[in-house]
Amino acid sequence: MANIISDETMEYVGILAKLELSPEEKEAAKKDMGRMLDYIDKLNELDTSGAEPMSHVFPVTNVFREDVVTNGDDREQILKNAPEQKDGAFKVPKTVE
């Protein structure tokens, strides 16, 4: 294990994460973090010069349709359903005094 996590680093990470760890939990977390950093070092050894950067492992395409108005302006038709109307709009009772 080339990456050794210090006690100060674990204290700092605990403060950032707002965790109170027991001494046993701190030791286990130090070992886990060391293994993670070792794995990252191993991944950094790979030759990725021919690989294109990507934002997702699956191809992502825009699935949104074009925003097209299909029903038009049927104000008169809509207002036929209104119990009362005024100036081309629904008239409703006053709700705020």
Side-chain angles (χ1 to χ4, degrees):
M1 211 162 57
N3 291 298
I4 298 174
I5 308 298
S6 68
D7 292 333
E8 294 82 22
T9 302
M10 278 310 303
E11 279 296 321
Y12 183 64
V13 169
I15 291 169
L16 290 176
K18 298 184 180 184
L19 295 174
E20 292 183 26
L21 300 173
S22 69
E24 297 84 22
E25 291 172 324
K26 284 181 185 177
E27 285 303 315
K30 280 172 51 173
K31 289 178 185 174
D32 287 343
M33 289 176 71
R35 284 195 296 263
M36 286 186 254
L37 292 174
D38 288 340
Y39 188 69
I40 291 170
D41 287 342
K42 190 173 188 176
L43 289 176
N44 283 334
E45 294 173 4
L46 295 174
D47 178 24
T48 58
S49 58
E52 277 189 50
M54 58 185 181
S55 61
H56 201 278
V57 293
F58 299 111
V60 178
T61 56
N62 186 356
V63 295
F64 297 115
R65 64 174 169 74
E66 187 68 29
D67 190 16
V68 178
V69 177
T70 57
N71 60 351
D73 185 17
D74 293 336
R75 180 184 300 231
E76 293 172 14
Q77 187 71 22
I78 293 168
L79 287 174
K80 286 182 182 178
N81 295 322
E84 292 185 52
Q85 53 180 296
K86 181 179 178 183
D87 299 327
F90 286 91
K91 184 176 178 184
V92 296
K94 186 175 181 180
T95 57
V96 178
E97 295 294 325

